[in-house]
Amino acid sequence: MSSQLFSPLTLGRQTLSNRIVVSPMCQYSAHDGCASQWQLKHLATLAGSGAGLVLIEATGVLRSGRITHGCLGLYSDDNELALGQVLAFCRQAGAAHFGIQLNYAGRKGSSQVPWLGGKPLTAAEDAWPTLSSSDTPDGRSRACTHEDLAHIKQAFVAAAQRAVRLGIDVIELHGAHGYLLHQFLSPLANRRTDDYGGSLDRRMRYPLEVFEAVRKAIPASVTLGLRLSATDWLPDGLTLEESTVFVQALEALGCDFVDISSGGIAPAEIPLEPGYQVHLASHIKAAVSMPVIAVGLILTAEQAEAIVARGQADAVALGRAFLHNPHWAYQAALDLGAVAQHPVQYERVNPAKWAGGLVPAVSPAAR
Ligand SMILES: Cc1cc2nc3c(=O)[nH]c(=O)nc-3n(C[C@H](O)[C@H](O)[C@H](O)COP(=O)(O)O)c2cc1C
């Protein structure tokens, strides 16, 4: 039987060659939001990885919306120029479709890069004031005013328009992992008493307003989706049932896909085992008609194939597996008897053109 994982998938009006997505992964290597040589190397490698879609890392829609000083941004002309140069090269380096994840970090912003500790920046490290849905108990972040909300929403729109100018036709809003949009959705962070806090309807309101504003500002041909933490894994946190209602509301606004992750708003015990978030994706998939992406410890080709073939999700996103082996999809194609999408220069890695990649075509002694 032919592989479902390697069958095409239509997200919005864009068609991907297969259902393997490289999950967005911060590289903390940008300079004032501008992509560096590291992004060039990283994304060019992934361009030729055989994945159908590469989602570019969480990208700050404002300088103040970055997580760290190393985060990628799309808030200035310089940022746009730098990412444009990287993408121009990447489009020569492989056939993957590129998407981008847009983010406002909120109370998780102004942090050190992970390898320097990931702690809040000090004044000497050029810390900046951070915003959240509500004042944080540690006094570090203050609640967004209505003017802040309008400003950040407009920044999401402007960053999305910059992405569209760069020819990016898949945009994912970051509504997961404890960043600002999640800080509105989760009752653990959102303690507001105005129209943006309290009931689920009110907690969803700001993320939906941002989604709607971006949707209206970009062409219908550009695919727009959202990554969501479908549960906080905590008793008083956001629940899967609430997330399902939120996703249905997104669908009604023209959302093209959702990417289902979890956690990140506060420390929680998460059952980290292979495919630990797939049940969240499949629960949501049953409630909507748009495509759903599953992510989290999806490691082997067989596991990925089964998730798609059983209809638990329409696509799988892999993060660390692609850092470990950027040619994960080549191996998956071999394992599943499918054909990966190679750059023409690498076509001879196609199993039909050499001994399946497993047996050397020529014995070492004869070379
Ligand atoms: C280095 C690194 C950076 C990450 N940065 C992001 C990010 O920018 N946006 C995001 O939504 N998730 C981010 N994540 C989470 C991954 O996208 C993914 O959801 C998570 O690693 C689980 O998938 P995996 O088990 O396949 O790695 C990051 C993960 C890693 C390892």
Side-chain angles (χ1 to χ4, degrees):
M1 224 180 68
S2 60
S3 163
Q4 297 297 302
L5 185 65
F6 282 90
S7 66
L9 173 66
T10 300
L11 285 187
R13 299 203 189 159
Q14 303 301 323
T15 298
L16 310 177
S17 61
N18 61 47
R19 290 151 187 263
I20 302 168
V21 178
V22 179
S23 208
M25 283 181 285
C26 291
Q27 298 298 297
Y28 311 105
S29 299
H31 306 298
D32 197 353
C34 290
S36 69
Q37 298 282 333
W38 178 262
Q39 267 92 13
L40 184 70
K41 177 257 176 209
H42 171 68
L43 294 174
T45 301
L46 295 171
S49 68
L53 175 67
V54 176
L55 283 171
I56 299 170
E57 65 191 87
T59 299
V61 298
L62 283 168
R63 194 170 192 275
S64 63
R66 296 171 306 159
I67 309 163
T68 73
H69 280 301
C71 286
L72 200 62
L74 260 184
Y75 49 81
S76 73
D77 291 348
D78 284 351
N79 296 166
E80 189 178 327
L81 183 69
L83 188 58
Q85 287 169 345
V86 165
L87 284 172
F89 182 78
C90 289
R91 290 184 178 122
Q92 305 295 312
H97 219 101
F98 276 99
I100 194 164
Q101 188 185 55
L102 299 181
N103 188 33
Y104 192 94
R107 71 184 199 180
K108 282 180 125 176
S110 190
S111 298
Q112 297 166 334
V113 300
W115 51 84
L116 294 180
K119 299 206 174 63
L121 292 172
T122 61
E125 292 170 315
D126 193 15
W128 65 86
T130 53
L131 298 169
S132 185
S133 48
S134 300
D135 293 338
T136 53
D138 61 5
R140 218 182 135 226
S141 305
R142 72 162 172 82
C144 285
T145 63
H146 286 197
E147 290 70 36
D148 295 324
L149 294 182
H151 181 58
I152 294 168
K153 181 170 69 179
Q154 185 47 39
F156 269 101
V157 166
Q161 288 171 327
R162 287 186 187 277
V164 172
R165 277 205 292 274
L166 295 177
I168 294 175
D169 47 23
V170 177
I171 296 177
E172 178 178 273
L173 304 182
H174 200 345
H177 303 169
Y179 297 109
L180 186 72
L181 299 183
H182 187 184
Q183 290 160 30
F184 272 86
L185 288 168
S186 173
L188 296 173
N190 186 342
R191 308 265 177 202
R192 297 176 77 98
T193 51
D194 65 359
D195 286 351
Y196 292 98
S199 65
L200 174 63
D201 266 0
R202 290 177 173 201
R203 282 181 278 122
M204 313 196 301
R205 184 170 166 193
Y206 187 60
L208 291 176
E209 281 183 8
V210 170
F211 180 88
E212 198 173 11
V214 174
R215 181 69 282 174
K216 283 190 176 143
I218 58 174
S221 58
V222 176
T223 294
L224 181 63
L226 182 138
R227 174 170 268 201
L228 175 70
S229 279
T231 172
D232 287 335
W233 302 103
L234 288 163
D236 299 323
L238 184 72
T239 64
L240 178 57
E241 287 64 36
E242 288 184 321
S243 294
T244 306
V245 173
F246 172 59
V247 170
Q248 286 169 327
L250 280 173
E251 185 163 52
L253 292 176
C255 189
D256 293 315
F257 71 95
V258 280
D259 175 2
I260 302 301
S261 189
S262 71
I265 203 79
E269 270 189 39
I270 302 180
L272 291 172
E273 60 196 19
Y276 67 101
Q277 296 173 149
V278 173
H279 69 287
L280 305 172
S282 92
H283 184 277
I284 286 176
K285 185 168 161 50
V288 292
S289 26
M290 67 180 142
V292 174
I293 303 175
V295 66
L297 286 178
I298 298 170
L299 302 168
T300 67
E302 291 75 13
Q303 183 193 5
E305 175 71 25
I307 291 166
V308 174
R310 286 189 204 126
Q312 291 173 295
D314 300 280
V316 290
L318 287 76
R320 290 161 291 185
F322 268 99
L323 298 185
H324 173 69
N325 173 13
H327 286 161
W328 185 92
Y330 290 11
Q331 186 61 46
L334 275 179
D335 293 348
L336 298 171
V339 178
Q341 174 189 243
H342 301 114
V344 284
Q345 295 87 340
Y346 283 10
E347 248 178 24
R348 285 180 62 183
V349 79
N350 179 332
K353 299 192 178 174
W354 73 315
L358 299 173
V359 184
V362 181
S363 79
R367 274 194 203 125

